[in-house]
Amino acid sequence: MARAARSRTPRPDPPGRLRLRLPGPRRPGRRSHPAAPEPPGSGRRSPTVRSTSSGAAYGPYARALGLLTVSVLGAWLGLLALGGVRAPVGPVDTGLALRPSLTGGTRITVPPLGDLELDSHAAPLRLDVDVDRLDPARSAELVDHPERFAGLQAQVTHDVLRGAAGLVVASCAAAACGATALGLVVYRRPRRALAAGGLALALLTASGATAYATWNPRSVLEPRFSGLLSSAPSVVGNARSIVSEFDVYQKELARLVTNVSKLYDTASTLPAYQPDPTTLRVLHVSDIHLNPASWHLIASLVEQYRIDVVIDTGDTMDHGSAAENHFLDPASTLGAPYVWVRGNHDSRGTQRYLTARKHVTVLDGGRVAQVAGIRIAGVGDPQFTPDRSVAPAGEAAERTAGGRLADALRTQRLAGTPVDIALAHNPTAVTETDGLVPLALAGHVHHREITTLPQGTRLMVEGSTGGGGLRAVQNEQPAPVQASVLYLDRTTKRLQAWDEITLGGLGLARAEVSRHLPRENRPVAPGGTPSAGPSATASDGPG
């Protein structure tokens, strides 16, 4: 017979019986048993009680260091995620942001050219400025109200200050929110999280005060370049020389080419061709690409060569935006009529602006104009390549535009009023006029090309009168500045000779003038071969 299980429930003490309990460490739910004494010589050391005085001493410092770490890390994450603001500065949209940095300073990013870094301040914060795009609406307002250009500087200053104020507010909020959120994750206690946010805000304020106290406005005179802009210092010098000497450089370059022209006329005998005072003189320029020095050069050539008409075969602009239009204003004050056709970097807005200028003739669609006694027809480039939303139409579109120009030339010939010069920006377009006009002018390729087409039309492609514009800083050596003076017979309007003028690119001071004759106008030298024309060269620097 199985024995009944004994109950583990402690029995109550009988009345009158006292139960003694010895003091000792107890665990909940368990009975405590006295530890057995260690036998002598067992080799085991009895546990020692460590003092808590050192933990009490280092505890506050450890907690403070942890709070500081959470605050800094949270503020950094907040600035990265929420610290940037968008700010319009005049007609340009920019992005402003504060970023943690051990060296401070300012970084200005200008896509696609690269970065410009300034040692503007010493603080654990760096100011990042991203130039995004030109706003079409604000640019159009400037064009519709030209009087606003007078106050543009004040407007830009106001926009910068307003953007900076918005950046301060956004950065403070981002740093405080980031530190508070990280504090909640780490401590899970609202009070400690708010303390982390407050500490982050205090650190950001102290950093801002340090940046203000160490602000160096002269840092703009010693920038550091990267990307395509890294070539700028070797090509155009430092910012100080750009600001203080660029106007002098433009004027001296124009003076240099004037002096070389005088030297050419005086020193060379020019037995083959001496331009008659009544000869029509045409200055051919192209691809200025917003280089302001080009206007000084053109004005100097107009005066020195007594130019009758200036012909520009396009790409005067770079992006074709309305904000660039006032760059075209000198075209009305060159001292000679200005004939222009649209290039692939010139927009329809550019064309409309030039059409309204005095002393400027814009040709498009095969239109014919008589300027200084010369009948000229031209067609604008059918493509506008700065607009990336439209796929380039390619050579087929150029040939179609050239076909329209050729049709206009045929109409004029049938009417008994043949055209003397045909114009287009792209050589592909103007080659369609072969056999319909004695002389065709183009640009686009940024270097000279002179050929006689199969049916007898002479095609003269001009280089870049602006030295490639901004593209001048992309290569080790800047592109040369090129223009040509064409001498036409006043009666027949046929080409008699031309002078090729080549200057050193941006930052260089070298000028060369060479005279050339059409093969049919060259005198026969001993031996039966036509002689080449003379040339003159001068240089004030490397080139």
PDB file of all heavy atoms in Angstrom, residues 242-275:
ATOM      1  N   ILE A 242      40.793  89.254 -60.147  1.00  0.00           N
ATOM      2  CA  ILE A 242      39.599  89.235 -60.977  1.00  0.00           C
ATOM      3  C   ILE A 242      38.771  90.495 -60.733  1.00  0.00           C
ATOM      4  O   ILE A 242      38.322  91.166 -61.654  1.00  0.00           O
ATOM      5  CB  ILE A 242      38.755  87.982 -60.679  1.00  0.00           C
ATOM      6  CG1 ILE A 242      39.517  86.720 -61.078  1.00  0.00           C
ATOM      7  CG2 ILE A 242      37.421  88.039 -61.410  1.00  0.00           C
ATOM      8  CD1 ILE A 242      38.826  85.454 -60.679  1.00  0.00           C
ATOM      9  N   VAL A 243      38.588  90.836 -59.469  1.00  0.00           N
ATOM     10  CA  VAL A 243      37.740  91.978 -59.134  1.00  0.00           C
ATOM     11  C   VAL A 243      38.401  93.287 -59.513  1.00  0.00           C
ATOM     12  O   VAL A 243      37.791  94.175 -60.098  1.00  0.00           O
ATOM     13  CB  VAL A 243      37.405  91.954 -57.626  1.00  0.00           C
ATOM     14  CG1 VAL A 243      36.651  93.211 -57.231  1.00  0.00           C
ATOM     15  CG2 VAL A 243      36.592  90.717 -57.302  1.00  0.00           C
ATOM     16  N   SER A 244      39.682  93.439 -59.206  1.00  0.00           N
ATOM     17  CA  SER A 244      40.331  94.739 -59.350  1.00  0.00           C
ATOM     18  C   SER A 244      40.978  94.952 -60.700  1.00  0.00           C
ATOM     19  O   SER A 244      41.173  96.090 -61.124  1.00  0.00           O
ATOM     20  CB  SER A 244      41.397  94.902 -58.257  1.00  0.00           C
ATOM     21  OG  SER A 244      42.404  93.920 -58.401  1.00  0.00           O
ATOM     22  N   GLU A 245      41.294  93.863 -61.441  1.00  0.00           N
ATOM     23  CA  GLU A 245      42.081  94.034 -62.650  1.00  0.00           C
ATOM     24  C   GLU A 245      41.395  93.557 -63.924  1.00  0.00           C
ATOM     25  O   GLU A 245      41.943  93.715 -64.997  1.00  0.00           O
ATOM     26  CB  GLU A 245      43.418  93.276 -62.504  1.00  0.00           C
ATOM     27  CG  GLU A 245      44.273  93.784 -61.365  1.00  0.00           C
ATOM     28  CD  GLU A 245      45.540  92.950 -61.186  1.00  0.00           C
ATOM     29  OE1 GLU A 245      45.785  92.088 -62.048  1.00  0.00           O
ATOM     30  OE2 GLU A 245      46.248  93.157 -60.208  1.00  0.00           O
ATOM     31  N   PHE A 246      40.209  92.975 -63.803  1.00  0.00           N
ATOM     32  CA  PHE A 246      39.605  92.422 -65.004  1.00  0.00           C
ATOM     33  C   PHE A 246      39.236  93.520 -66.000  1.00  0.00           C
ATOM     34  O   PHE A 246      39.438  93.372 -67.208  1.00  0.00           O
ATOM     35  CB  PHE A 246      38.356  91.607 -64.657  1.00  0.00           C
ATOM     36  CG  PHE A 246      37.801  90.862 -65.837  1.00  0.00           C
ATOM     37  CD1 PHE A 246      38.529  89.837 -66.434  1.00  0.00           C
ATOM     38  CD2 PHE A 246      36.573  91.179 -66.368  1.00  0.00           C
ATOM     39  CE1 PHE A 246      38.039  89.141 -67.517  1.00  0.00           C
ATOM     40  CE2 PHE A 246      36.074  90.492 -67.458  1.00  0.00           C
ATOM     41  CZ  PHE A 246      36.805  89.475 -68.026  1.00  0.00           C
ATOM     42  N   ASP A 247      38.702  94.635 -65.508  1.00  0.00           N
ATOM     43  CA  ASP A 247      38.367  95.731 -66.413  1.00  0.00           C
ATOM     44  C   ASP A 247      39.625  96.273 -67.085  1.00  0.00           C
ATOM     45  O   ASP A 247      39.630  96.590 -68.275  1.00  0.00           O
ATOM     46  CB  ASP A 247      37.647  96.839 -65.643  1.00  0.00           C
ATOM     47  CG  ASP A 247      37.158  97.946 -66.560  1.00  0.00           C
ATOM     48  OD1 ASP A 247      36.345  97.662 -67.451  1.00  0.00           O
ATOM     49  OD2 ASP A 247      37.628  99.086 -66.402  1.00  0.00           O
ATOM     50  N   VAL A 248      40.720  96.360 -66.307  1.00  0.00           N
ATOM     51  CA  VAL A 248      41.982  96.811 -66.888  1.00  0.00           C
ATOM     52  C   VAL A 248      42.456  95.822 -67.942  1.00  0.00           C
ATOM     53  O   VAL A 248      42.935  96.205 -69.017  1.00  0.00           O
ATOM     54  CB  VAL A 248      43.043  96.983 -65.776  1.00  0.00           C
ATOM     55  CG1 VAL A 248      44.389  97.359 -66.374  1.00  0.00           C
ATOM     56  CG2 VAL A 248      42.590  98.035 -64.782  1.00  0.00           C
ATOM     57  N   TYR A 249      42.317  94.528 -67.657  1.00  0.00           N
ATOM     58  CA  TYR A 249      42.737  93.497 -68.611  1.00  0.00           C
ATOM     59  C   TYR A 249      41.974  93.623 -69.929  1.00  0.00           C
ATOM     60  O   TYR A 249      42.565  93.549 -71.018  1.00  0.00           O
ATOM     61  CB  TYR A 249      42.514  92.113 -67.995  1.00  0.00           C
ATOM     62  CG  TYR A 249      42.531  90.991 -68.996  1.00  0.00           C
ATOM     63  CD1 TYR A 249      43.714  90.590 -69.609  1.00  0.00           C
ATOM     64  CD2 TYR A 249      41.352  90.351 -69.346  1.00  0.00           C
ATOM     65  CE1 TYR A 249      43.717  89.567 -70.545  1.00  0.00           C
ATOM     66  CE2 TYR A 249      41.352  89.326 -70.274  1.00  0.00           C
ATOM     67  CZ  TYR A 249      42.542  88.946 -70.873  1.00  0.00           C
ATOM     68  OH  TYR A 249      42.535  87.936 -71.787  1.00  0.00           O
ATOM     69  N   GLN A 250      40.648  93.845 -69.830  1.00  0.00           N
ATOM     70  CA  GLN A 250      39.856  93.979 -71.047  1.00  0.00           C
ATOM     71  C   GLN A 250      40.348  95.149 -71.891  1.00  0.00           C
ATOM     72  O   GLN A 250      40.536  95.035 -73.112  1.00  0.00           O
ATOM     73  CB  GLN A 250      38.384  94.194 -70.695  1.00  0.00           C
ATOM     74  CG  GLN A 250      37.739  93.033 -69.969  1.00  0.00           C
ATOM     75  CD  GLN A 250      36.297  93.336 -69.639  1.00  0.00           C
ATOM     76  OE1 GLN A 250      35.412  93.009 -70.423  1.00  0.00           O
ATOM     77  NE2 GLN A 250      36.035  93.953 -68.521  1.00  0.00           N
ATOM     78  N   LYS A 251      40.554  96.287 -71.249  1.00  0.00           N
ATOM     79  CA  LYS A 251      40.964  97.475 -71.987  1.00  0.00           C
ATOM     80  C   LYS A 251      42.369  97.320 -72.574  1.00  0.00           C
ATOM     81  O   LYS A 251      42.636  97.735 -73.701  1.00  0.00           O
ATOM     82  CB  LYS A 251      40.895  98.701 -71.070  1.00  0.00           C
ATOM     83  CG  LYS A 251      39.472  99.032 -70.627  1.00  0.00           C
ATOM     84  CD  LYS A 251      39.457 100.213 -69.667  1.00  0.00           C
ATOM     85  CE  LYS A 251      38.034 100.523 -69.237  1.00  0.00           C
ATOM     86  NZ  LYS A 251      37.967 101.639 -68.263  1.00  0.00           N
ATOM     87  N   GLU A 252      43.262  96.699 -71.808  1.00  0.00           N
ATOM     88  CA  GLU A 252      44.627  96.525 -72.306  1.00  0.00           C
ATOM     89  C   GLU A 252      44.670  95.538 -73.468  1.00  0.00           C
ATOM     90  O   GLU A 252      45.455  95.697 -74.409  1.00  0.00           O
ATOM     91  CB  GLU A 252      45.538  96.038 -71.164  1.00  0.00           C
ATOM     92  CG  GLU A 252      45.849  97.121 -70.140  1.00  0.00           C
ATOM     93  CD  GLU A 252      46.553  98.306 -70.776  1.00  0.00           C
ATOM     94  OE1 GLU A 252      47.567  98.096 -71.478  1.00  0.00           O
ATOM     95  OE2 GLU A 252      46.078  99.434 -70.596  1.00  0.00           O
ATOM     96  N   LEU A 253      43.817  94.509 -73.415  1.00  0.00           N
ATOM     97  CA  LEU A 253      43.778  93.558 -74.516  1.00  0.00           C
ATOM     98  C   LEU A 253      43.282  94.239 -75.787  1.00  0.00           C
ATOM     99  O   LEU A 253      43.821  94.017 -76.877  1.00  0.00           O
ATOM    100  CB  LEU A 253      42.864  92.386 -74.159  1.00  0.00           C
ATOM    101  CG  LEU A 253      42.979  91.131 -75.024  1.00  0.00           C
ATOM    102  CD1 LEU A 253      44.392  90.590 -75.003  1.00  0.00           C
ATOM    103  CD2 LEU A 253      41.984  90.088 -74.558  1.00  0.00           C
ATOM    104  N   ALA A 254      42.275  95.099 -75.656  1.00  0.00           N
ATOM    105  CA  ALA A 254      41.792  95.837 -76.819  1.00  0.00           C
ATOM    106  C   ALA A 254      42.861  96.787 -77.343  1.00  0.00           C
ATOM    107  O   ALA A 254      43.051  96.938 -78.557  1.00  0.00           O
ATOM    108  CB  ALA A 254      40.526  96.603 -76.453  1.00  0.00           C
ATOM    109  N   ARG A 255      43.592  97.427 -76.415  1.00  0.00           N
ATOM    110  CA  ARG A 255      44.654  98.339 -76.842  1.00  0.00           C
ATOM    111  C   ARG A 255      45.767  97.570 -77.555  1.00  0.00           C
ATOM    112  O   ARG A 255      46.339  98.044 -78.536  1.00  0.00           O
ATOM    113  CB  ARG A 255      45.224  99.072 -75.629  1.00  0.00           C
ATOM    114  CG  ARG A 255      46.316 100.084 -75.978  1.00  0.00           C
ATOM    115  CD  ARG A 255      46.894 100.690 -74.718  1.00  0.00           C
ATOM    116  NE  ARG A 255      47.511  99.690 -73.870  1.00  0.00           N
ATOM    117  CZ  ARG A 255      48.757  99.232 -74.038  1.00  0.00           C
ATOM    118  NH1 ARG A 255      49.498  99.679 -75.037  1.00  0.00           N
ATOM    119  NH2 ARG A 255      49.249  98.323 -73.234  1.00  0.00           N
ATOM    120  N   LEU A 256      46.047  96.373 -77.064  1.00  0.00           N
ATOM    121  CA  LEU A 256      47.106  95.579 -77.680  1.00  0.00           C
ATOM    122  C   LEU A 256      46.787  95.238 -79.118  1.00  0.00           C
ATOM    123  O   LEU A 256      47.622  95.378 -80.015  1.00  0.00           O
ATOM    124  CB  LEU A 256      47.322  94.299 -76.867  1.00  0.00           C
ATOM    125  CG  LEU A 256      48.311  93.282 -77.453  1.00  0.00           C
ATOM    126  CD1 LEU A 256      49.701  93.871 -77.528  1.00  0.00           C
ATOM    127  CD2 LEU A 256      48.299  92.009 -76.630  1.00  0.00           C
ATOM    128  N   VAL A 257      45.556  94.783 -79.375  1.00  0.00           N
ATOM    129  CA  VAL A 257      45.219  94.417 -80.741  1.00  0.00           C
ATOM    130  C   VAL A 257      45.196  95.646 -81.637  1.00  0.00           C
ATOM    131  O   VAL A 257      45.519  95.582 -82.827  1.00  0.00           O
ATOM    132  CB  VAL A 257      43.870  93.666 -80.789  1.00  0.00           C
ATOM    133  CG1 VAL A 257      42.699  94.605 -80.544  1.00  0.00           C
ATOM    134  CG2 VAL A 257      43.694  92.962 -82.130  1.00  0.00           C
ATOM    135  N   THR A 258      44.839  96.794 -81.079  1.00  0.00           N
ATOM    136  CA  THR A 258      44.888  98.032 -81.866  1.00  0.00           C
ATOM    137  C   THR A 258      46.318  98.351 -82.272  1.00  0.00           C
ATOM    138  O   THR A 258      46.608  98.686 -83.430  1.00  0.00           O
ATOM    139  CB  THR A 258      44.292  99.194 -81.064  1.00  0.00           C
ATOM    140  OG1 THR A 258      42.924  98.883 -80.760  1.00  0.00           O
ATOM    141  CG2 THR A 258      44.357 100.493 -81.852  1.00  0.00           C
ATOM    142  N   ASN A 259      47.234  98.243 -81.316  1.00  0.00           N
ATOM    143  CA  ASN A 259      48.640  98.542 -81.620  1.00  0.00           C
ATOM    144  C   ASN A 259      49.217  97.551 -82.620  1.00  0.00           C
ATOM    145  O   ASN A 259      50.007  97.909 -83.496  1.00  0.00           O
ATOM    146  CB  ASN A 259      49.466  98.531 -80.330  1.00  0.00           C
ATOM    147  CG  ASN A 259      49.109  99.687 -79.423  1.00  0.00           C
ATOM    148  OD1 ASN A 259      48.544 100.681 -79.880  1.00  0.00           O
ATOM    149  ND2 ASN A 259      49.426  99.556 -78.150  1.00  0.00           N
ATOM    150  N   VAL A 260      48.839  96.257 -82.484  1.00  0.00           N
ATOM    151  CA  VAL A 260      49.335  95.267 -83.439  1.00  0.00           C
ATOM    152  C   VAL A 260      48.808  95.567 -84.839  1.00  0.00           C
ATOM    153  O   VAL A 260      49.516  95.423 -85.837  1.00  0.00           O
ATOM    154  CB  VAL A 260      48.942  93.848 -82.979  1.00  0.00           C
ATOM    155  CG1 VAL A 260      49.259  92.833 -84.066  1.00  0.00           C
ATOM    156  CG2 VAL A 260      49.672  93.496 -81.699  1.00  0.00           C
ATOM    157  N   SER A 261      47.560  96.015 -84.928  1.00  0.00           N
ATOM    158  CA  SER A 261      46.997  96.358 -86.233  1.00  0.00           C
ATOM    159  C   SER A 261      47.761  97.515 -86.862  1.00  0.00           C
ATOM    160  O   SER A 261      48.056  97.511 -88.066  1.00  0.00           O
ATOM    161  CB  SER A 261      45.513  96.724 -86.077  1.00  0.00           C
ATOM    162  OG  SER A 261      44.800  95.644 -85.529  1.00  0.00           O
ATOM    163  N   LYS A 262      48.103  98.524 -86.050  1.00  0.00           N
ATOM    164  CA  LYS A 262      48.882  99.647 -86.566  1.00  0.00           C
ATOM    165  C   LYS A 262      50.266  99.175 -87.010  1.00  0.00           C
ATOM    166  O   LYS A 262      50.775  99.588 -88.059  1.00  0.00           O
ATOM    167  CB  LYS A 262      49.012 100.730 -85.491  1.00  0.00           C
ATOM    168  CG  LYS A 262      47.705 101.446 -85.177  1.00  0.00           C
ATOM    169  CD  LYS A 262      47.916 102.489 -84.105  1.00  0.00           C
ATOM    170  CE  LYS A 262      46.601 103.216 -83.792  1.00  0.00           C
ATOM    171  NZ  LYS A 262      46.794 104.228 -82.715  1.00  0.00           N
ATOM    172  N   LEU A 263      50.870  98.295 -86.194  1.00  0.00           N
ATOM    173  CA  LEU A 263      52.173  97.757 -86.553  1.00  0.00           C
ATOM    174  C   LEU A 263      52.088  96.998 -87.872  1.00  0.00           C
ATOM    175  O   LEU A 263      52.969  97.095 -88.737  1.00  0.00           O
ATOM    176  CB  LEU A 263      52.684  96.838 -85.439  1.00  0.00           C
ATOM    177  CG  LEU A 263      53.964  96.052 -85.720  1.00  0.00           C
ATOM    178  CD1 LEU A 263      55.141  97.007 -85.889  1.00  0.00           C
ATOM    179  CD2 LEU A 263      54.230  95.055 -84.589  1.00  0.00           C
ATOM    180  N   TYR A 264      51.033  96.260 -88.034  1.00  0.00           N
ATOM    181  CA  TYR A 264      50.838  95.482 -89.253  1.00  0.00           C
ATOM    182  C   TYR A 264      50.761  96.398 -90.477  1.00  0.00           C
ATOM    183  O   TYR A 264      51.421  96.169 -91.497  1.00  0.00           O
ATOM    184  CB  TYR A 264      49.551  94.676 -89.112  1.00  0.00           C
ATOM    185  CG  TYR A 264      49.278  93.744 -90.270  1.00  0.00           C
ATOM    186  CD1 TYR A 264      49.798  92.459 -90.275  1.00  0.00           C
ATOM    187  CD2 TYR A 264      48.508  94.153 -91.343  1.00  0.00           C
ATOM    188  CE1 TYR A 264      49.551  91.604 -91.321  1.00  0.00           C
ATOM    189  CE2 TYR A 264      48.251  93.303 -92.389  1.00  0.00           C
ATOM    190  CZ  TYR A 264      48.777  92.020 -92.380  1.00  0.00           C
ATOM    191  OH  TYR A 264      48.529  91.173 -93.428  1.00  0.00           O
ATOM    192  N   ASP A 265      49.939  97.435 -90.362  1.00  0.00           N
ATOM    193  CA  ASP A 265      49.778  98.346 -91.501  1.00  0.00           C
ATOM    194  C   ASP A 265      51.054  99.121 -91.801  1.00  0.00           C
ATOM    195  O   ASP A 265      51.343  99.457 -92.947  1.00  0.00           O
ATOM    196  CB  ASP A 265      48.638  99.337 -91.220  1.00  0.00           C
ATOM    197  CG  ASP A 265      47.274  98.671 -91.309  1.00  0.00           C
ATOM    198  OD1 ASP A 265      47.188  97.649 -92.007  1.00  0.00           O
ATOM    199  OD2 ASP A 265      46.322  99.169 -90.690  1.00  0.00           O
ATOM    200  N   THR A 266      51.848  99.403 -90.773  1.00  0.00           N
ATOM    201  CA  THR A 266      53.035 100.231 -90.968  1.00  0.00           C
ATOM    202  C   THR A 266      54.231  99.416 -91.423  1.00  0.00           C
ATOM    203  O   THR A 266      54.978  99.808 -92.325  1.00  0.00           O
ATOM    204  CB  THR A 266      53.388 100.957 -89.658  1.00  0.00           C
ATOM    205  OG1 THR A 266      52.261 101.733 -89.265  1.00  0.00           O
ATOM    206  CG2 THR A 266      54.586 101.855 -89.827  1.00  0.00           C
ATOM    207  N   ALA A 267      54.442  98.250 -90.809  1.00  0.00           N
ATOM    208  CA  ALA A 267      55.673  97.505 -91.040  1.00  0.00           C
ATOM    209  C   ALA A 267      55.610  96.625 -92.272  1.00  0.00           C
ATOM    210  O   ALA A 267      56.634  96.361 -92.900  1.00  0.00           O
ATOM    211  CB  ALA A 267      55.999  96.653 -89.826  1.00  0.00           C
ATOM    212  N   SER A 268      54.442  96.158 -92.636  1.00  0.00           N
ATOM    213  CA  SER A 268      54.371  95.250 -93.784  1.00  0.00           C
ATOM    214  C   SER A 268      54.097  96.039 -95.059  1.00  0.00           C
ATOM    215  O   SER A 268      53.362  97.021 -95.060  1.00  0.00           O
ATOM    216  CB  SER A 268      53.262  94.213 -93.564  1.00  0.00           C
ATOM    217  OG  SER A 268      52.006  94.874 -93.456  1.00  0.00           O
ATOM    218  N   THR A 269      54.723  95.599 -96.127  1.00  0.00           N
ATOM    219  CA  THR A 269      54.552  96.290 -97.415  1.00  0.00           C
ATOM    220  C   THR A 269      53.254  95.879 -98.102  1.00  0.00           C
ATOM    221  O   THR A 269      52.719  96.638 -98.910  1.00  0.00           O
ATOM    222  CB  THR A 269      55.729  95.967 -98.329  1.00  0.00           C
ATOM    223  OG1 THR A 269      55.808  94.554 -98.516  1.00  0.00           O
ATOM    224  CG2 THR A 269      57.028  96.461 -97.718  1.00  0.00           C
ATOM    225  N   LEU A 270      52.743  94.706 -97.768  1.00  0.00           N
ATOM    226  CA  LEU A 270      51.498  94.220 -98.347  1.00  0.00           C
ATOM    227  C   LEU A 270      51.454  94.409 -99.873  1.00  0.00           C
ATOM    228  O   LEU A 270      50.599  95.108-100.404  1.00  0.00           O
ATOM    229  CB  LEU A 270      50.301  94.939 -97.706  1.00  0.00           C
ATOM    230  CG  LEU A 270      50.113  94.710 -96.198  1.00  0.00           C
ATOM    231  CD1 LEU A 270      48.922  95.485 -95.704  1.00  0.00           C
ATOM    232  CD2 LEU A 270      49.931  93.247 -95.901  1.00  0.00           C
ATOM    233  N   PRO A 271      52.398  93.836-100.609  1.00  0.00           N
ATOM    234  CA  PRO A 271      52.393  94.055-102.057  1.00  0.00           C
ATOM    235  C   PRO A 271      51.202  93.410-102.746  1.00  0.00           C
ATOM    236  O   PRO A 271      50.813  93.816-103.836  1.00  0.00           O
ATOM    237  CB  PRO A 271      53.705  93.411-102.504  1.00  0.00           C
ATOM    238  CG  PRO A 271      53.947  92.342-101.485  1.00  0.00           C
ATOM    239  CD  PRO A 271      53.436  92.892-100.189  1.00  0.00           C
ATOM    240  N   ALA A 272      50.619  92.406-102.134  1.00  0.00           N
ATOM    241  CA  ALA A 272      49.552  91.684-102.808  1.00  0.00           C
ATOM    242  C   ALA A 272      48.230  92.442-102.768  1.00  0.00           C
ATOM    243  O   ALA A 272      47.483  92.441-103.737  1.00  0.00           O
ATOM    244  CB  ALA A 272      49.376  90.321-102.161  1.00  0.00           C
ATOM    245  N   TYR A 273      47.914  93.074-101.634  1.00  0.00           N
ATOM    246  CA  TYR A 273      46.602  93.704-101.521  1.00  0.00           C
ATOM    247  C   TYR A 273      46.679  94.838-100.513  1.00  0.00           C
ATOM    248  O   TYR A 273      47.106  94.650 -99.375  1.00  0.00           O
ATOM    249  CB  TYR A 273      45.549  92.695-101.073  1.00  0.00           C
ATOM    250  CG  TYR A 273      44.182  93.316-100.871  1.00  0.00           C
ATOM    251  CD1 TYR A 273      43.383  93.629-101.969  1.00  0.00           C
ATOM    252  CD2 TYR A 273      43.699  93.591 -99.602  1.00  0.00           C
ATOM    253  CE1 TYR A 273      42.140  94.201-101.807  1.00  0.00           C
ATOM    254  CE2 TYR A 273      42.457  94.165 -99.429  1.00  0.00           C
ATOM    255  CZ  TYR A 273      41.677  94.469-100.525  1.00  0.00           C
ATOM    256  OH  TYR A 273      40.442  95.050-100.355  1.00  0.00           O
ATOM    257  N   GLN A 274      46.278  96.008-100.917  1.00  0.00           N
ATOM    258  CA  GLN A 274      46.192  97.162-100.036  1.00  0.00           C
ATOM    259  C   GLN A 274      44.748  97.637-100.055  1.00  0.00           C
ATOM    260  O   GLN A 274      44.246  98.093-101.084  1.00  0.00           O
ATOM    261  CB  GLN A 274      47.106  98.287-100.534  1.00  0.00           C
ATOM    262  CG  GLN A 274      47.265  99.440 -99.548  1.00  0.00           C
ATOM    263  CD  GLN A 274      48.038  99.041 -98.318  1.00  0.00           C
ATOM    264  OE1 GLN A 274      47.449  98.633 -97.337  1.00  0.00           O
ATOM    265  NE2 GLN A 274      49.349  99.137 -98.378  1.00  0.00           N
ATOM    266  N   PRO A 275      44.030  97.502 -98.940  1.00  0.00           N
ATOM    267  CA  PRO A 275      42.610  97.855 -98.958  1.00  0.00           C
ATOM    268  C   PRO A 275      42.401  99.315 -99.335  1.00  0.00           C
ATOM    269  O   PRO A 275      43.050 100.211 -98.809  1.00  0.00           O
ATOM    270  CB  PRO A 275      42.171  97.590 -97.517  1.00  0.00           C
ATOM    271  CG  PRO A 275      43.177  96.646 -96.979  1.00  0.00           C
ATOM    272  CD  PRO A 275      44.459  96.990 -97.638  1.00  0.00           C
TER     273      PRO A 275
END
